[in-house]
Amino acid sequence: MTTLQLFESVNAFVWGPPLLALLVGTGIYLTIRLGLLQVVRLPLALRYVFGRDDEHHEEGDVSSFAALCTALAATIGTGNIVGVATAVAAGGPGALFWMWVAAFFGMATKYAEGLLAVKYRVTDANGQMSGGPMYYLERGLGSRMLARAFALCGILVAFFGIGTFAQVNAIKDAASLSLGIPPLATAVVLTTTVALVTLGGLRSIARVAEKVVPFMAVFYIIASFAVLVMHLDRIPDAVMLILHSAFNPQAALGGAAGMTVLTAMRAGVARGVFSNESGLGSAPIAAAAARTKSCVRQGLISMTGTFFDTIVICTMTGLVLVVTGVWNDPQLAGAAMTNAAFAAGLESSLGQYAATLGLILFAFTTILGWNYYGERCTEYLFGVRGILPYRLVFIGLVAAGAFVHLELIWVLADIVNGLMAIPNLIGLLGLSGVIIAETRAFFEADAPSVDAPCGSDADNASGACPRA
């Protein structure tokens, strides 16, 4: 058995029916308990995202919008471009449907994560806000063991999963295929740039994210929209193929050997989690740094991250792959497939340049966001003295990422993602009563459009929210 085959066996076990049921089941449970909050309260959440930030004097390190951009910087990455292509190649177009399902219920999960992040956050020795699953697992659920397990897995994901190898390899491939830039040159430039930004800490990362994330998202949506407009007549058939192959992949794909509903579901859910990170526990680490007095308000803002990431951007990528027909080319994979789809869709080499620029920006900001996530997990386990060594190791792995094999990267990323999600999901289920109580108190207030304090008077007096 080769190394790749060994990791694939581990990945199949980790992402088996139990984890899929836990991941999607948590989202379904929270959706029911919260009364379809991701539908009913989405307009309010979007209003918070795009409204005026009036929380400059609240406790926290960055604005709520900057915290969302930092989370989106880590979330909107290769999963939206390469990950969608990988999912469709592995599970057929039906995988996109299962990405939608996971994202819909994942919005409730992401809301819960953002809420708990602010409720249980603390101030570290450097005066920065620290929060996320490790804190609500310890301070809310009372399980230091699960908190440490999450933090360790978070560092592994930052080092070997979403944070470095997958992003760097995607940038290297895109730069080489479209621009003819040698991998060594890409590695040097990327490593230097990442070092300059990440050594500046959260505020440096947030400043870059606030500028780059909105631009890159709008740019990629416009490019995708142009392809879809040029193939407008094919969209209905593409949607029907996605829906049909989600439940009957062999018939939809001409009897493809080994293609099952579970294959499509596993590919869609795993790639969806890689892309939007709902249930993974990463985004609440950024949410905890937001300047806000309301954990519910931040939960709503965090929820929009999954909406933007999967419902909007991943859908665009998936439809481009299907309407152009390149998804069915066995010679194409990852970034090459997406580049080919945009080149064919725009009937010009400019198409692949558009995909390349989008991929490079997406992947670069993901590296920055995951550097911060891993740093907060390191600080939880080892204190502030562990931050600088962590950053140096992270930068070293960025340099090495351009020379790791693509298939092994994605399998390894899936494994550590799954392991990271397990303690976080246990925490969300265990603290679901807190989530429901905070949500009910917020929306039962006389003026819910005005931010209600996080928690009851007793909670605030005890210091459980939001102060340490």
Side-chain angles (χ1 to χ4, degrees):
M1 179 181 289
T2 65
T3 301
L4 178 60
Q5 289 172 331
L6 175 62
F7 278 107
E8 285 176 340
S9 298
V10 174
N11 185 41
F13 173 77
V14 171
W15 282 100
L19 179 56
L20 292 176
L22 178 62
L23 190 67
V24 179
T26 300
I28 293 173
Y29 174 72
L30 290 170
T31 295
I32 295 171
R33 291 291 308 275
L34 292 167
L36 284 173
L37 177 136
Q38 65 265 57
V39 176
V40 177
R41 302 298 181 182
L42 182 60
L44 176 61
L46 293 173
R47 209 154 60 236
Y48 281 148
V49 171
F50 297 111
R52 183 176 61 87
D53 179 16
D54 56 358
E55 297 192 327
H56 294 294
H57 302 294
E58 300 301 333
E59 189 175 72
D61 296 327
V62 296
S63 69
S64 292
F65 180 72
L68 175 66
C69 284
T70 302
L72 284 174
T75 302
I76 300 177
T78 57
N80 300 82
I81 300 178
V82 181
V84 175
T86 305
V88 172
L96 187 62
F97 171 82
W98 295 111
M99 290 183 77
W100 292 337
V101 171
F104 175 77
F105 294 114
M107 288 176 69
T109 306
K110 187 69 75 72
Y111 164 79
E113 291 175 322
L115 183 155
L116 293 175
V118 172
K119 180 171 178 61
Y120 292 106
R121 65 185 179 180
V122 302
T123 304
D124 69 17
N126 286 337
Q128 288 188 318
M129 282 294 179
S130 291
M134 51 279 197
Y135 292 94
Y136 55 73
L137 285 169
E138 179 183 348
R139 303 179 72 231
L141 197 63
S143 177
R144 191 168 178 81
M145 181 186 72
L146 284 177
R148 287 177 172 175
F150 174 86
L152 178 60
C153 290
I155 295 171
L156 292 176
V157 174
F159 278 169
F160 306 113
I162 300 176
T164 55
F165 291 167
Q167 314 303 328
V168 175
N169 200 273
I171 292 174
K172 179 262 295 182
D173 283 348
S176 176
L177 290 170
S178 299
L179 307 175
I181 299 175
L184 181 60
T186 300
V188 171
V189 173
L190 183 60
T191 303
T192 303
T193 308
V194 168
L196 291 173
V197 177
T198 60
L199 290 175
L202 172 62
R203 287 186 174 87
S204 175
I205 294 171
R207 281 196 300 270
V208 174
E210 278 187 298
K211 293 178 175 62
V212 176
V213 169
F215 166 77
M216 74 182 188
V218 171
F219 169 81
Y220 188 74
I221 289 170
I222 290 174
S224 301
F225 187 72
V227 173
L228 297 178
V229 168
M230 293 177 68
H231 298 80
L232 204 58
D233 58 321
R234 300 183 189 177
I235 292 179
D237 288 339
V239 173
M240 290 304 298
L241 177 61
I242 290 168
L243 296 177
H244 186 45
S245 62
F247 299 98
N248 196 0
Q250 286 193 323
L253 305 178
M259 190 66 71
T260 65
V261 173
L262 182 59
T263 303
M265 186 184 298
R266 182 159 50 206
V269 173
R271 290 277 78 78
V273 171
F274 185 97
S275 176
N276 62 53
E277 301 178 15
S278 295
L280 199 61
S282 50
I285 299 175
R291 281 194 300 265
T292 183
K293 60 187 176 185
S294 171
C295 51
V296 172
R297 181 185 191 275
Q298 189 57 41
L300 291 170
I301 291 173
S302 295
M303 180 182 77
T304 65
T306 298
F307 175 79
F308 292 131
D309 176 271
T310 304
I311 305 300
V312 177
I313 296 178
C314 284
T315 297
M316 290 282 200
T317 302
L319 287 175
V320 167
L321 294 174
V322 177
V323 299
T324 57
V326 302
W327 70 270
N328 208 19
D329 187 340
Q331 304 300 317
L332 296 174
M337 179 185 288
T338 310
N339 280 345
F342 276 91
L346 295 176
E347 299 177 359
S348 166
S349 60
L350 290 177
Q352 75 174 35
Y353 294 133
T356 296
L357 179 58
L359 178 58
I360 290 173
L361 290 175
F362 283 17
F364 174 69
T365 55
T366 298
I367 293 170
L368 300 183
W370 267 96
N371 171 78
Y372 176 69
Y373 291 164
E375 177 184 303
R376 292 295 90 191
C377 290
T378 299
E379 189 271 336
Y380 175 81
L381 288 175
F382 306 109
V384 294
R385 67 182 182 279
I387 291 176
L388 181 58
Y390 162 82
R391 289 177 179 173
L392 295 177
V393 173
F394 186 91
I395 292 168
L397 291 171
V398 168
F403 309 102
V404 182
H405 195 269
L406 177 64
E407 288 186 13
L408 182 60
I409 286 171
W410 286 102
V411 175
L412 183 60
D414 276 347
I415 293 171
V416 290
N417 285 356
L419 294 175
M420 182 179 179
I422 292 170
N424 179 56
L425 294 170
I426 293 171
L428 295 180
L429 291 173
L431 294 169
S432 58
V434 175
I435 297 165
I436 305 306
E438 294 289 357
T439 304
R440 187 174 296 131
F442 181 85
F443 288 110
E444 286 178 355
D446 292 335
S449 61
V450 178
D451 294 340
C454 177
S456 64
D457 291 339
D459 282 338
N460 293 327
S462 68
C465 175
R467 298 174 181 81

